[in-house]
Amino acid sequence: MYRSHTCGELRESDINTKVTLSGWVQKTRDKGFVVWVDLRDRYGITQLVFDEDRTSSKLLEQARSLGREYVVQVTGEVIERTSKNPNIPTGGIEVLVDEVILLNKSKTPPFTIENETDGGEDLRMKYRYLDIRRNPVKNNLIFRSKVSMEVRKYLSDHSFVEVETPYLIKSTPEGARDFVVPSRMNEGQFYALPQSPQTFKQLLMVGGMDKYFQIVKCFRDEDLRADRQPEFTQIDCEMAFVEQEDILDTFEGLTKHLLKEIKGVEISAFPRITYDDAMRIYGNDKPDIRFGMEFGELNAVTQHKDFGVFNSAELVVGIAVPGGASYTRKELDALVNWVKRPQVGAKGMVYVKYNEDGSFKSTVDKFYDQEDLAKWAKITEAKPGDLICVLSGDANKTRTQLSALRMELAERLGLRNPNEFAPLWVIDFPLLELDEETGNYHAMHHPFTSPKPGQLELLETDPGAVRANAYDLVLNGNEIGGGSIRIHDRDVQSTMFKHLGFTPEEAQAQFGFLMDAFQYGAPPHGGIAFGLDRLVSILGGQETIRDFIAFPKNNSGRDVMIDAPAAIDQEQLHELKLKLDIEA
Amino acid sequence: MYRSHTCGELRESDINTKVTLSGWVQKTRDKGFVVWVDLRDRYGITQLVFDEDRTSSKLLEQARSLGREYVVQVTGEVIERTSKNPNIPTGGIEVLVDEVILLNKSKTPPFTIENETDGGEDLRMKYRYLDIRRNPVKNNLIFRSKVSMEVRKYLSDHSFVEVETPYLIKSTPEGARDFVVPSRMNEGQFYALPQSPQTFKQLLMVGGMDKYFQIVKCFRDEDLRADRQPEFTQIDCEMAFVEQEDILDTFEGLTKHLLKEIKGVEISAFPRITYDDAMRIYGNDKPDIRFGMEFGELNAVTQHKDFGVFNSAELVVGIAVPGGASYTRKELDALVNWVKRPQVGAKGMVYVKYNEDGSFKSTVDKFYDQEDLAKWAKITEAKPGDLICVLSGDANKTRTQLSALRMELAERLGLRNPNEFAPLWVIDFPLLELDEETGNYHAMHHPFTSPKPGQLELLETDPGAVRANAYDLVLNGNEIGGGSIRIHDRDVQSTMFKHLGFTPEEAQAQFGFLMDAFQYGAPPHGGIAFGLDRLVSILGGQETIRDFIAFPKNNSGRDVMIDAPAAIDQEQLHELKLKLDIEA
């Protein structure tokens, strides 16, 4: 037996107990006549003491020889510490060691295994197994496990059945690229890895499973942006005989359960906002509502004042920045430059200082008097001491720009508190989205999303106006879940595919099995999927999903630890009936 | 709202309640003045009644128009049934319907959606979504979900952390073939899908995760035998700072928990048997111990009697078949023919009837007298009325043949009761296995398994004799789990790879990341993996794993429902820099 206790569990009540511990040497302090060693495992750190007076000199010598990250098993007696450490749970005791067994040596690790490390991202990824020894990473992985378990408990308690759907499926032309898997047994044919189990969960509804969920890996062969992974984890859910209200209710319940169990936060009914309102008020379909700074539309109060920029703009819109009236000229210039950066793309910015004395001072005083500016302040809900920032131009672009400014300023003002949680539902999404490059519409959610009742006809005349029973769950400015009520009628599904540019043959070849299934008594159904990586990172109060993935890939889709992907040998290619098509 | 109750929950206590139900029309019985409809959902069946006296004739007409598997929503009042059906939980009531809303029609299903169906295997696979509506399939999937949840509960309660390991990893030459995934972003390179997360779970132990588990899909591109799937699910577990005893103890606990929670069966300590004993006593490393029929070795009592077949045999071994003395000559001839089938491969069989009067009658009476045969009976533990079946020849082959006969006879005698559970541990497996074709040794478990302490040297002199701390958990004649204590020392791992025929360069290229990790303080560790598909099917008292998989593949690795794998288009191949290498 390697241990009687873990390194995290001994307390003053254990004093005088003989114990055996195993773990890693975190550090050694040698004071000549006494040597202390911090022994670490997943559960904590226990201080070991080797003392000239009470242990053999041979043992003391052995203690001195222990390097960082050596693995040892020690036996000894729990004793009271003379100088207690109130910062750790085992800080009241230490173990007076009488035997040390060296289980494994360690080379000097390439970075320090401490909460704060000196290792850069690349090095830590290459030696991920060492990075995982560090508390921040280790605790993230344990946290993720706990969140997953709570999700499963809640859904199981609500009659959901976890069903495993296949990973080797069929390639579809939808959206992002599939990863494909050549089949040796079926020459020249390929499986695809699922981008999501969408069609399978719908088939489970046709199959009467009623309430399905699965925590499942999904795959997208997209060019990786920061914080995107080629494989990611989804909490995938579907329910039959439901309307949108039933789904929102169920998954609001799940989210509340998680916030309560995991974060100890109780939240009452989640606000709901339509997609159109979210865009109008926040310029964003995943608004962060931990703070206000709502958009005020100023067109009505800015026209006919000889300010051509505003007169010709489709939209003039502003926000009030709390306390911003005190910004210096230099700070304000920097802010104007910030919105003009290519990543934001505004042509310029008008601003108004709402001074504490009630007066206004703006960059457009030539065109607008105090009374005009007072109207702006009213509409943007600015208070004395605030700064009003105003952008103008094309409505969609201006909203996106002002949203970026709003988020940036909130960040600077410390309004995006990671320990505050502000969920909301965004509902009534458009069914289709115009691809500005091609001029074609594509499904905003996916092609299985049902148009709102009575709007099917609009597909012919005004496709962009069709709304869907599609909804996103947004938490702190991030979409953590999204779903919809699905089409369950073969003819409607056919019509949808037609509008998305599929020929009937293509639709049949790709999704015939689903449309066939709809002919055999498909129930009304709908669902939702949560991005687990994102959900966990937000609940954990952190930014990057990579910190919550045990073995993430880098931005080139590589696992630098195992050095994958890699070349495979000729024989393997030959068995798969494949040749590389690369210039030598 | 589509329903106020499910079709499985109404009882006599609900009489006079107004309810709304949704579900599928299971069947309609038309008695002219009254129509009954059985409405089905996942939760049960509720009888609907449409009655000339109490409902409109229009409604009655509507009821008559409902075809099998139509999806309807009905509203009505719960009333007492005149003739109750004690066989179903809702049998005391029916719903007097006052409104029917047709939610979806159904074509006539290709097979009956009943517990017993007229649909053949192929048809049911093609329309798997209809097959899932049938109770036997639906209940299997719900059962699987329950088993998975209990596994997670038990392991979470025992400090295990579920960590998701990557699916896009690196191809390795070990054992079965990998499925590979071409990488678009890394030209000419491939990921592989994991055959198991073996190396990752070991890295998690190096990373201090201490106790890891994961319920995870694994992939093997093997030629499919009956009841093998290219993708299968594993309960994958690993622990640090453990000896074999700790692992057996933990997972015996898990298995007991499952048997108790899922089957209501309490089992005390699991028997343990060494691999050598299992082979000697049962001719099999996964013995079914629900019944006896243990092997009795007869060499010592069969020699020097002029029976050349036995004299020249490496092994003479028999089993007692309960009640077999009453078999007719015809039955006995059939049995001899059965063991001579190519699938079993025996050259012949000697048998002895142990008559109720205590006398013996054998096929070798010319060579052996009553006293000789009495010795055989003693060794095989035969009782009057039994039949002793004896095979002889090469030891290994003969044991395998007699094991096949033992299983076959037990099956015929009804000794393999699916509701009885007899787990055991098989321990002390050989480290290496001789490939008789190539004459090379390969790892019996996998190359990361540790030889027993002190046996490393034997690798040079007598590789076949080296034993490992490797163990299988066997349930009712099936291996449901297997694992080992791992190597955690770089040099030992190098030596293992050398003995398995890797050059140092190959070992470094394939497993360098693991051997490097061993240099940074790898703790002693070990683990186990359970085949979930098999475990669930045995707990469910059934034979085929396919019945417990939502969307299984057929023996050619095809999903006939979605028609995968399939060709992909030229553009997709081009993006992946691949060409098909197939003769036109």
Side-chain angles (χ1 to χ4, degrees), chain B residues 279 283 295 297 299 308-317 344-348 390-403 434 436:
Chain B
M279 295 308 289
F295 288 12
E297 296 190 358
N299 292 54
V309 173
F310 283 1
N311 287 344
S312 65
E314 186 186 357
L315 179 70
V316 180
V317 60
V344 182
K347 293 227 176 63
V390 182
L391 300 181
S392 63
D394 167 81
N396 289 342
K397 282 186 189 158
T398 303
R399 287 189 173 116
T400 304
Q401 291 157 3
L402 191 62
S403 173
L434 187 66
E436 305 218 335

Side-chain angles (χ1 to χ4, degrees), chain A residues 24 42-43 104 133 159 164 167 177 184 189-191 206 210 231 233 520-522 557-558 566 575, chain B residues 3 24 42-43 104 133 159 164 167 177 189-191 206 210 221 231 233 520-522 557-558 566 575:
Chain A
W24 287 265
R42 177 182 129 196
Y43 311 93
N104 218 341
R133 284 190 200 156
S159 300
E164 296 174 49
Y167 277 74
R177 287 186 194 84
R184 191 177 48 86
Q189 299 193 331
F190 294 75
Y191 302 99
V206 176
D210 206 77
E231 50 179 303
T233 306
Y520 292 99
R558 297 199 68 82
E575 277 204 332
Chain B
R3 58 188 175 194
W24 286 265
R42 176 183 129 195
Y43 310 93
N104 216 341
R133 282 189 202 156
S159 300
E164 297 175 49
Y167 277 76
R177 288 187 193 84
Q189 300 191 331
F190 294 75
Y191 302 100
V206 177
D210 206 78
D221 187 12
E231 50 178 302
T233 305
Y520 292 99
R558 296 199 68 82
E575 277 204 332

Side-chain angles (χ1 to χ4, degrees), chain A residues 38-87:
Chain A
D38 280 355
L39 191 70
R40 186 196 70 234
D41 67 10
R42 177 182 129 196
Y43 311 93
I45 286 181
T46 297
Q47 180 166 297
L48 311 178
V49 59
F50 301 76
D51 179 330
E52 221 171 43
D53 295 340
R54 292 176 287 181
T55 55
S56 71
S57 58
K58 197 180 146 208
L59 205 59
L60 207 62
E61 211 41 61
Q62 205 182 351
R64 286 194 183 101
S65 73
L66 298 175
R68 269 166 59 201
E69 301 306 316
Y70 276 38
V71 187
V72 296
Q73 176 184 350
V74 301
T75 301
E77 191 183 328
V78 183
I79 60 173
E80 191 166 7
R81 264 206 226 184
T82 40
S83 72
K84 299 194 177 19
N85 178 353
N87 299 320

